[in-house]
Each structure stands twice: as structure tokens, then as C-alpha cells.
């Protein structure tokens, strides 16, 4: 995730196997800043034990004001594999990260979340909700007070019988981008796709 002003970047890093002074314990969410010299400084893990653990923590996405972050963790993998967590900024520090409710987090894998800048809609992929194939892309509406509407599958225009992930929605461009594993001619691999959303509206749970 890169902030709207282009000066802050949130990334997932795993340096646990490197011979360095302070490696990560696993995959951690790190922050880098763009300097006045035209370069990025070294990304550093967020110092918050409820965000970065000894398990996989990554795929950060933030609201436009950068005060709310959603990310993926498999810290409760024996119960529900990978889940989406949310954490609010308290002053200059992050508060306590908590998992989203069970109508979002299934017993399978939820991954690659994307929150719209206004914080109203969360797009993500899951391999355990009712879908078309492996990982499908869903959207859920934030109802307030920590509650979410039930996820809606984006349907066959976006989802295939294989894995569809990393959805990003750009309202001003009327476009979305996502990754998908599809067979085209003699080629089968994970590729990036672009889709026009002219005239499209976000589907809501009924």
C-alpha cells in the first residue's frame, strides 16, 4: 500500500532466513518513507505485538486517512487458517488488532484485502465461502459499530474456476485490477488483469 501523497509505503517483508542484525520472526508488516533525496528509506516492522507476530502477517491495506488498517494473519491457523484483521490508529501509534467477524472470516483462507479510501467497502478473496472456483473475490459493506454485511461474490465477470486474488478498485478510473490463474491458448499462469467498470456498481448483500 502506498499513501495518496506517495510518501509512505506499507509492505510485507520476511527476513527471517537472512544473516542480518534484526531479522523478522516471520512475515511482518513494515513501513518505509520516501525521503527528500528521492529514495526510500529502509522498511521497518511496525512495533505492535498485535500486528506483527511470529506467524504470517501481511497484505496491508489502509483507508484514505491512514487511520485504519486491514491485514492478513494466520496466527489462528489451527482454527480458521488465514483471517483478516483490523487495527485503528490511536494518536501516533496503532491500537489493538482484532479479527473481523465470522461472517467475513471463514474457517478457510481469507486473503489480499482492499479497503476503499472511505472505509465503506472491503474487497477480499476467500477459498471457503460459496464461490465459483478456488479463491474468489468478494465485497462486504461496513455497517458501523464493527459490523459487516455478508460478503457478496463479484460473479463470473471477475471470478474464474481457478484462483482470483489481489483485487484493487479505482473508482475515479472506472477500472479494477486483479490477479488470476487462467488458461489462454498454450499458456497457463498467474497474470494481472484489468477490467473496465463503466456503469458498474458495487453489489450489496440482500
Amino acid at each position: 500500500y502506498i499513501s495518496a501523497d506517495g510518501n509512505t509505503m506499507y509492505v510485507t517483508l520476511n527476513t527471517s532466513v537472512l544473516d542480518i542484525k534484526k531479522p523478522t520472526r516471520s512475515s511482518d508488516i513494515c513501513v518505509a518513507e520516501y525521503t527528500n533525496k528521492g529514495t526510500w528509506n529502509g522498511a521497518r516492522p511496525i512495533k505492535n505485538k498485535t500486528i506483527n507476530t511470529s506467524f504470517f502477517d501481511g497484505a496491508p491495506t489502509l483507508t484514505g486517512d491512514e487511520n485504519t488498517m486491514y491485514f492478513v494473519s494466520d496466527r489462528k491457523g489451527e482454527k480458521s487458517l488465514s483471517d483478516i484483521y483490523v487495527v485503528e490508529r490511536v494518536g501516533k501509534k496503532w491500537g489493538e488488532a482484532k479479527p473481523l467477524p465470522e461472517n467475513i472470516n471463514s474457517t478457510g483462507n481469507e486473503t489480499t484485502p482492499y479497503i476503499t479510501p472511505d472505509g465503506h467497502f472491503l474487497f477480499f478473496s476467500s477459498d471457503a465461502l460459496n464461490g465459483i472456483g478456488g479463491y474468489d473475490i468478494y465485497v462486504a459493506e461496513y455497517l458501523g459499530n464493527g459490523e459487516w454485511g455478508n460478503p457478496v461474490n463479484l460473479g463470473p465477470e471477475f471470478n474464474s474456476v481457478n484462483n482470483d486474488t489481489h483485487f484493487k478498485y479505482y473508482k475515479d478510473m472506472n477500472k479494477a485490477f486483479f490477479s488470476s490463474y487462467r488458461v489462454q491458448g498454450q499458456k497457463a499462469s498467474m497474470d494481472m488483469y484489468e477490467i473496465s467498470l463503466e456503469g458498474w456498481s458495487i453489489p450489496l448483500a440482500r
Side-chain angles (χ1 to χ4, degrees):
Y1 172 89
I2 297 180
S3 60
D5 61 12
N7 291 327
T8 307
M9 176 167 54
Y10 294 77
V11 299
T12 307
L13 290 180
N14 188 333
T15 61
S16 59
V17 299
L18 299 181
D19 184 17
I20 59 177
K21 187 175 181 180
K22 293 183 178 181
T24 61
R25 288 183 292 169
S26 181
S27 292
D28 283 349
I29 299 173
C30 303
V31 181
E33 302 290 342
Y34 194 69
T35 70
N36 55 17
K37 295 181 180 179
T39 60
W40 291 93
N41 62 15
R44 297 183 178 182
I46 295 175
K47 293 183 178 180
N48 182 309
K49 293 181 179 180
T50 70
I51 296 176
N52 288 321
T53 66
S54 60
F55 296 89
F56 174 88
D57 304 291
T61 177
L62 286 81
T63 52
D65 59 11
E66 296 183 56
N67 287 328
T68 306
M69 178 170 65
Y70 297 83
F71 65 95
V72 174
S73 180
D74 63 1
R75 64 190 66 178
K76 295 183 178 180
E78 76 285 350
K79 177 183 177 181
S80 57
L81 300 182
S82 63
D83 290 328
I84 299 174
Y85 284 71
V86 61
V87 60
E88 304 282 346
R89 196 185 295 274
V90 180
K92 294 183 178 181
K93 296 183 178 181
W94 291 102
E96 180 184 356
K98 298 179 179 180
L100 293 188
E102 292 184 357
N103 66 323
I104 303 294
N105 287 326
S106 69
T107 56
N109 290 290
E110 278 66 54
T111 189
T112 59
Y114 169 74
I115 189 71
T116 53
D118 60 7
H120 199 65
F121 294 100
L122 179 70
F123 294 87
F124 64 97
S125 290
S126 174
D127 66 356
L129 299 174
N130 291 329
I132 298 172
Y135 281 95
D136 274 10
I137 303 166
Y138 299 82
V139 62
E141 181 183 16
Y142 185 59
L143 305 177
N145 297 318
E147 296 185 6
W148 290 86
N150 290 327
V152 178
N153 190 296
L154 293 192
E157 291 182 347
F158 300 86
N159 293 311
S160 67
V161 297
N162 298 306
N163 292 329
D164 305 285
T165 59
H166 296 85
F167 184 89
K168 296 290 186 295
Y169 171 48
Y170 296 93
K171 183 178 180 181
D172 293 342
M173 298 170 59
N174 285 320
K175 290 182 179 181
F177 299 85
F178 62 97
S179 295
S180 182
Y181 185 92
R182 302 188 181 190
V183 178
Q184 295 185 335
Q186 300 298 314
K187 179 184 178 185
S189 62
M190 180 69 79
D191 290 322
M192 295 177 64
Y193 288 81
E194 173 186 329
I195 184 169
S196 173
L197 298 181
E198 195 72 41
W200 182 79
S201 58
I202 298 174
L204 303 177
R206 297 179 180 179

PDB file of all heavy atoms in Angstrom, residues 50 70-71 73 75-76 80 83-87 96-102 104-105 146 148:
ATOM      1  N   THR A  50       0.328  -6.891  18.470  1.00  0.00           N
ATOM      2  CA  THR A  50      -0.935  -7.422  17.957  1.00  0.00           C
ATOM      3  C   THR A  50      -1.005  -7.322  16.436  1.00  0.00           C
ATOM      4  O   THR A  50      -1.927  -7.856  15.827  1.00  0.00           O
ATOM      5  CB  THR A  50      -2.144  -6.683  18.573  1.00  0.00           C
ATOM      6  OG1 THR A  50      -2.205  -5.341  18.066  1.00  0.00           O
ATOM      7  CG2 THR A  50      -2.044  -6.645  20.084  1.00  0.00           C
ATOM      8  N   TYR A  70      -6.251  -2.822   7.494  1.00  0.00           N
ATOM      9  CA  TYR A  70      -6.676  -4.216   7.440  1.00  0.00           C
ATOM     10  C   TYR A  70      -5.499  -5.036   6.931  1.00  0.00           C
ATOM     11  O   TYR A  70      -4.737  -4.583   6.076  1.00  0.00           O
ATOM     12  CB  TYR A  70      -7.879  -4.378   6.503  1.00  0.00           C
ATOM     13  CG  TYR A  70      -9.107  -3.634   6.962  1.00  0.00           C
ATOM     14  CD1 TYR A  70      -9.264  -2.271   6.687  1.00  0.00           C
ATOM     15  CD2 TYR A  70     -10.110  -4.276   7.679  1.00  0.00           C
ATOM     16  CE1 TYR A  70     -10.381  -1.571   7.121  1.00  0.00           C
ATOM     17  CE2 TYR A  70     -11.241  -3.586   8.113  1.00  0.00           C
ATOM     18  CZ  TYR A  70     -11.363  -2.243   7.832  1.00  0.00           C
ATOM     19  OH  TYR A  70     -12.476  -1.550   8.267  1.00  0.00           O
ATOM     20  N   PHE A  71      -5.360  -6.240   7.449  1.00  0.00           N
ATOM     21  CA  PHE A  71      -4.259  -7.092   7.014  1.00  0.00           C
ATOM     22  C   PHE A  71      -4.623  -8.552   7.230  1.00  0.00           C
ATOM     23  O   PHE A  71      -5.684  -8.873   7.808  1.00  0.00           O
ATOM     24  CB  PHE A  71      -2.967  -6.734   7.752  1.00  0.00           C
ATOM     25  CG  PHE A  71      -2.990  -6.986   9.238  1.00  0.00           C
ATOM     26  CD1 PHE A  71      -2.489  -8.169   9.768  1.00  0.00           C
ATOM     27  CD2 PHE A  71      -3.505  -6.030  10.112  1.00  0.00           C
ATOM     28  CE1 PHE A  71      -2.507  -8.402  11.140  1.00  0.00           C
ATOM     29  CE2 PHE A  71      -3.528  -6.255  11.489  1.00  0.00           C
ATOM     30  CZ  PHE A  71      -3.024  -7.442  12.002  1.00  0.00           C
ATOM     31  N   SER A  73      -3.511 -12.463   8.635  1.00  0.00           N
ATOM     32  CA  SER A  73      -2.657 -13.210   9.550  1.00  0.00           C
ATOM     33  C   SER A  73      -3.163 -14.640   9.678  1.00  0.00           C
ATOM     34  O   SER A  73      -4.382 -14.876   9.636  1.00  0.00           O
ATOM     35  CB  SER A  73      -2.642 -12.546  10.938  1.00  0.00           C
ATOM     36  OG  SER A  73      -1.818 -13.278  11.833  1.00  0.00           O
ATOM     37  N   ARG A  75      -2.319 -16.432  12.435  1.00  0.00           N
ATOM     38  CA  ARG A  75      -1.970 -16.702  13.841  1.00  0.00           C
ATOM     39  C   ARG A  75      -2.938 -17.666  14.508  1.00  0.00           C
ATOM     40  O   ARG A  75      -2.621 -18.255  15.545  1.00  0.00           O
ATOM     41  CB  ARG A  75      -1.914 -15.389  14.614  1.00  0.00           C
ATOM     42  CG  ARG A  75      -3.249 -14.650  14.720  1.00  0.00           C
ATOM     43  CD  ARG A  75      -3.098 -13.249  15.286  1.00  0.00           C
ATOM     44  NE  ARG A  75      -2.339 -12.387  14.389  1.00  0.00           N
ATOM     45  CZ  ARG A  75      -2.097 -11.097  14.639  1.00  0.00           C
ATOM     46  NH1 ARG A  75      -2.566 -10.544  15.756  1.00  0.00           N
ATOM     47  NH2 ARG A  75      -1.412 -10.362  13.782  1.00  0.00           N
ATOM     48  N   LYS A  76      -4.122 -17.827  13.962  1.00  0.00           N
ATOM     49  CA  LYS A  76      -5.091 -18.796  14.496  1.00  0.00           C
ATOM     50  C   LYS A  76      -5.361 -19.891  13.467  1.00  0.00           C
ATOM     51  O   LYS A  76      -6.488 -20.365  13.307  1.00  0.00           O
ATOM     52  CB  LYS A  76      -6.388 -18.093  14.892  1.00  0.00           C
ATOM     53  CG  LYS A  76      -6.219 -17.102  16.045  1.00  0.00           C
ATOM     54  CD  LYS A  76      -7.548 -16.486  16.454  1.00  0.00           C
ATOM     55  CE  LYS A  76      -7.364 -15.531  17.635  1.00  0.00           C
ATOM     56  NZ  LYS A  76      -8.672 -14.921  18.047  1.00  0.00           N
ATOM     57  N   SER A  80      -8.907 -21.405  11.896  1.00  0.00           N
ATOM     58  CA  SER A  80      -9.524 -20.764  10.727  1.00  0.00           C
ATOM     59  C   SER A  80      -8.519 -20.363   9.652  1.00  0.00           C
ATOM     60  O   SER A  80      -8.776 -19.456   8.867  1.00  0.00           O
ATOM     61  CB  SER A  80     -10.319 -19.530  11.171  1.00  0.00           C
ATOM     62  OG  SER A  80      -9.481 -18.624  11.875  1.00  0.00           O
ATOM     63  N   ASP A  83      -6.914 -15.206   8.345  1.00  0.00           N
ATOM     64  CA  ASP A  83      -8.046 -14.303   8.574  1.00  0.00           C
ATOM     65  C   ASP A  83      -7.652 -12.863   8.296  1.00  0.00           C
ATOM     66  O   ASP A  83      -6.470 -12.528   8.242  1.00  0.00           O
ATOM     67  CB  ASP A  83      -8.532 -14.400  10.028  1.00  0.00           C
ATOM     68  CG  ASP A  83      -9.220 -15.709  10.338  1.00  0.00           C
ATOM     69  OD1 ASP A  83      -9.858 -16.261   9.427  1.00  0.00           O
ATOM     70  OD2 ASP A  83      -9.118 -16.169  11.483  1.00  0.00           O
ATOM     71  N   ILE A  84      -8.669 -12.014   8.166  1.00  0.00           N
ATOM     72  CA  ILE A  84      -8.446 -10.576   8.003  1.00  0.00           C
ATOM     73  C   ILE A  84      -8.617  -9.896   9.356  1.00  0.00           C
ATOM     74  O   ILE A  84      -9.585 -10.160  10.085  1.00  0.00           O
ATOM     75  CB  ILE A  84      -9.420  -9.978   6.978  1.00  0.00           C
ATOM     76  CG1 ILE A  84      -9.214 -10.628   5.608  1.00  0.00           C
ATOM     77  CG2 ILE A  84      -9.219  -8.463   6.871  1.00  0.00           C
ATOM     78  CD1 ILE A  84     -10.230 -10.211   4.567  1.00  0.00           C
ATOM     79  N   TYR A  85      -7.661  -9.036   9.688  1.00  0.00           N
ATOM     80  CA  TYR A  85      -7.677  -8.286  10.947  1.00  0.00           C
ATOM     81  C   TYR A  85      -7.804  -6.798  10.650  1.00  0.00           C
ATOM     82  O   TYR A  85      -7.445  -6.327   9.562  1.00  0.00           O
ATOM     83  CB  TYR A  85      -6.392  -8.545  11.738  1.00  0.00           C
ATOM     84  CG  TYR A  85      -6.353  -9.890  12.420  1.00  0.00           C
ATOM     85  CD1 TYR A  85      -6.212 -11.060  11.683  1.00  0.00           C
ATOM     86  CD2 TYR A  85      -6.463 -10.003  13.801  1.00  0.00           C
ATOM     87  CE1 TYR A  85      -6.185 -12.308  12.301  1.00  0.00           C
ATOM     88  CE2 TYR A  85      -6.434 -11.238  14.439  1.00  0.00           C
ATOM     89  CZ  TYR A  85      -6.296 -12.386  13.675  1.00  0.00           C
ATOM     90  OH  TYR A  85      -6.277 -13.608  14.297  1.00  0.00           O
ATOM     91  N   VAL A  86      -8.271  -6.054  11.647  1.00  0.00           N
ATOM     92  CA  VAL A  86      -8.374  -4.605  11.534  1.00  0.00           C
ATOM     93  C   VAL A  86      -7.742  -3.977  12.763  1.00  0.00           C
ATOM     94  O   VAL A  86      -7.815  -4.518  13.872  1.00  0.00           O
ATOM     95  CB  VAL A  86      -9.847  -4.149  11.391  1.00  0.00           C
ATOM     96  CG1 VAL A  86     -10.669  -4.554  12.614  1.00  0.00           C
ATOM     97  CG2 VAL A  86      -9.928  -2.646  11.161  1.00  0.00           C
ATOM     98  N   VAL A  87      -7.094  -2.836  12.565  1.00  0.00           N
ATOM     99  CA  VAL A  87      -6.482  -2.106  13.674  1.00  0.00           C
ATOM    100  C   VAL A  87      -6.638  -0.615  13.420  1.00  0.00           C
ATOM    101  O   VAL A  87      -6.514  -0.151  12.291  1.00  0.00           O
ATOM    102  CB  VAL A  87      -4.995  -2.499  13.848  1.00  0.00           C
ATOM    103  CG1 VAL A  87      -4.179  -2.190  12.603  1.00  0.00           C
ATOM    104  CG2 VAL A  87      -4.386  -1.826  15.060  1.00  0.00           C
ATOM    105  N   GLU A  96      -5.018  -2.027  19.217  1.00  0.00           N
ATOM    106  CA  GLU A  96      -5.034  -3.490  19.261  1.00  0.00           C
ATOM    107  C   GLU A  96      -5.707  -4.048  18.010  1.00  0.00           C
ATOM    108  O   GLU A  96      -6.852  -3.702  17.703  1.00  0.00           O
ATOM    109  CB  GLU A  96      -5.778  -3.983  20.505  1.00  0.00           C
ATOM    110  CG  GLU A  96      -5.834  -5.495  20.609  1.00  0.00           C
ATOM    111  CD  GLU A  96      -6.654  -5.952  21.799  1.00  0.00           C
ATOM    112  OE1 GLU A  96      -7.111  -5.088  22.573  1.00  0.00           O
ATOM    113  OE2 GLU A  96      -6.849  -7.180  21.943  1.00  0.00           O
ATOM    114  N   ALA A  97      -5.002  -4.911  17.299  1.00  0.00           N
ATOM    115  CA  ALA A  97      -5.554  -5.542  16.104  1.00  0.00           C
ATOM    116  C   ALA A  97      -6.542  -6.635  16.498  1.00  0.00           C
ATOM    117  O   ALA A  97      -6.276  -7.440  17.397  1.00  0.00           O
ATOM    118  CB  ALA A  97      -4.439  -6.125  15.248  1.00  0.00           C
ATOM    119  N   LYS A  98      -7.683  -6.667  15.812  1.00  0.00           N
ATOM    120  CA  LYS A  98      -8.718  -7.658  16.113  1.00  0.00           C
ATOM    121  C   LYS A  98      -9.219  -8.290  14.805  1.00  0.00           C
ATOM    122  O   LYS A  98      -9.263  -7.630  13.769  1.00  0.00           O
ATOM    123  CB  LYS A  98      -9.883  -6.997  16.851  1.00  0.00           C
ATOM    124  CG  LYS A  98      -9.485  -6.396  18.195  1.00  0.00           C
ATOM    125  CD  LYS A  98     -10.672  -5.737  18.870  1.00  0.00           C
ATOM    126  CE  LYS A  98     -10.270  -5.153  20.219  1.00  0.00           C
ATOM    127  NZ  LYS A  98     -11.419  -4.508  20.907  1.00  0.00           N
ATOM    128  N   PRO A  99      -9.614  -9.567  14.867  1.00  0.00           N
ATOM    129  CA  PRO A  99     -10.129 -10.217  13.653  1.00  0.00           C
ATOM    130  C   PRO A  99     -11.504  -9.680  13.287  1.00  0.00           C
ATOM    131  O   PRO A  99     -12.281  -9.277  14.163  1.00  0.00           O
ATOM    132  CB  PRO A  99     -10.194 -11.699  14.043  1.00  0.00           C
ATOM    133  CG  PRO A  99     -10.370 -11.679  15.536  1.00  0.00           C
ATOM    134  CD  PRO A  99      -9.583 -10.487  16.017  1.00  0.00           C
ATOM    135  N   LEU A 100     -11.815  -9.681  12.002  1.00  0.00           N
ATOM    136  CA  LEU A 100     -13.153  -9.309  11.568  1.00  0.00           C
ATOM    137  C   LEU A 100     -14.129 -10.409  11.977  1.00  0.00           C
ATOM    138  O   LEU A 100     -13.729 -11.532  12.276  1.00  0.00           O
ATOM    139  CB  LEU A 100     -13.172  -9.096  10.054  1.00  0.00           C
ATOM    140  CG  LEU A 100     -12.363  -7.907   9.537  1.00  0.00           C
ATOM    141  CD1 LEU A 100     -12.637  -7.687   8.043  1.00  0.00           C
ATOM    142  CD2 LEU A 100     -12.661  -6.629  10.310  1.00  0.00           C
ATOM    143  N   PRO A 101     -15.432 -10.115  12.009  1.00  0.00           N
ATOM    144  CA  PRO A 101     -16.417 -11.107  12.464  1.00  0.00           C
ATOM    145  C   PRO A 101     -16.474 -12.340  11.570  1.00  0.00           C
ATOM    146  O   PRO A 101     -15.946 -12.355  10.458  1.00  0.00           O
ATOM    147  CB  PRO A 101     -17.732 -10.325  12.439  1.00  0.00           C
ATOM    148  CG  PRO A 101     -17.487  -9.161  11.536  1.00  0.00           C
ATOM    149  CD  PRO A 101     -16.049  -8.820  11.672  1.00  0.00           C
ATOM    150  N   GLU A 102     -17.136 -13.385  12.069  1.00  0.00           N
ATOM    151  CA  GLU A 102     -17.126 -14.690  11.407  1.00  0.00           C
ATOM    152  C   GLU A 102     -17.901 -14.719  10.096  1.00  0.00           C
ATOM    153  O   GLU A 102     -17.747 -15.667   9.323  1.00  0.00           O
ATOM    154  CB  GLU A 102     -17.662 -15.753  12.363  1.00  0.00           C
ATOM    155  CG  GLU A 102     -16.724 -16.017  13.537  1.00  0.00           C
ATOM    156  CD  GLU A 102     -17.212 -17.136  14.434  1.00  0.00           C
ATOM    157  OE1 GLU A 102     -18.311 -17.669  14.176  1.00  0.00           O
ATOM    158  OE2 GLU A 102     -16.496 -17.472  15.397  1.00  0.00           O
ATOM    159  N   ILE A 104     -17.248 -12.696   7.826  1.00  0.00           N
ATOM    160  CA  ILE A 104     -16.169 -12.360   6.891  1.00  0.00           C
ATOM    161  C   ILE A 104     -15.089 -13.443   6.947  1.00  0.00           C
ATOM    162  O   ILE A 104     -14.707 -14.008   5.917  1.00  0.00           O
ATOM    163  CB  ILE A 104     -15.546 -10.990   7.227  1.00  0.00           C
ATOM    164  CG1 ILE A 104     -16.607  -9.896   7.218  1.00  0.00           C
ATOM    165  CG2 ILE A 104     -14.413 -10.680   6.249  1.00  0.00           C
ATOM    166  CD1 ILE A 104     -17.216  -9.626   5.862  1.00  0.00           C
ATOM    167  N   ASN A 105     -14.608 -13.740   8.129  1.00  0.00           N
ATOM    168  CA  ASN A 105     -13.562 -14.746   8.300  1.00  0.00           C
ATOM    169  C   ASN A 105     -14.179 -16.133   8.421  1.00  0.00           C
ATOM    170  O   ASN A 105     -14.832 -16.450   9.412  1.00  0.00           O
ATOM    171  CB  ASN A 105     -12.728 -14.444   9.549  1.00  0.00           C
ATOM    172  CG  ASN A 105     -11.804 -13.260   9.352  1.00  0.00           C
ATOM    173  OD1 ASN A 105     -11.292 -13.025   8.258  1.00  0.00           O
ATOM    174  ND2 ASN A 105     -11.583 -12.501  10.410  1.00  0.00           N
ATOM    175  N   GLY A 146     -18.402  -1.890  14.106  1.00  0.00           N
ATOM    176  CA  GLY A 146     -17.689  -3.147  13.968  1.00  0.00           C
ATOM    177  C   GLY A 146     -18.442  -4.233  13.226  1.00  0.00           C
ATOM    178  O   GLY A 146     -17.970  -5.378  13.150  1.00  0.00           O
ATOM    179  N   TRP A 148     -20.312  -5.947   9.796  1.00  0.00           N
ATOM    180  CA  TRP A 148     -20.185  -6.005   8.339  1.00  0.00           C
ATOM    181  C   TRP A 148     -21.356  -6.762   7.730  1.00  0.00           C
ATOM    182  O   TRP A 148     -21.851  -7.725   8.314  1.00  0.00           O
ATOM    183  CB  TRP A 148     -18.887  -6.705   7.954  1.00  0.00           C
ATOM    184  CG  TRP A 148     -17.666  -5.918   8.262  1.00  0.00           C
ATOM    185  CD1 TRP A 148     -16.981  -5.872   9.447  1.00  0.00           C
ATOM    186  CD2 TRP A 148     -16.978  -5.024   7.373  1.00  0.00           C
ATOM    187  NE1 TRP A 148     -15.917  -5.014   9.352  1.00  0.00           N
ATOM    188  CE2 TRP A 148     -15.879  -4.485   8.088  1.00  0.00           C
ATOM    189  CE3 TRP A 148     -17.169  -4.645   6.047  1.00  0.00           C
ATOM    190  CZ2 TRP A 148     -14.993  -3.579   7.517  1.00  0.00           C
ATOM    191  CZ3 TRP A 148     -16.291  -3.741   5.464  1.00  0.00           C
ATOM    192  CH2 TRP A 148     -15.219  -3.215   6.193  1.00  0.00           C
TER     193      TRP A 148
END
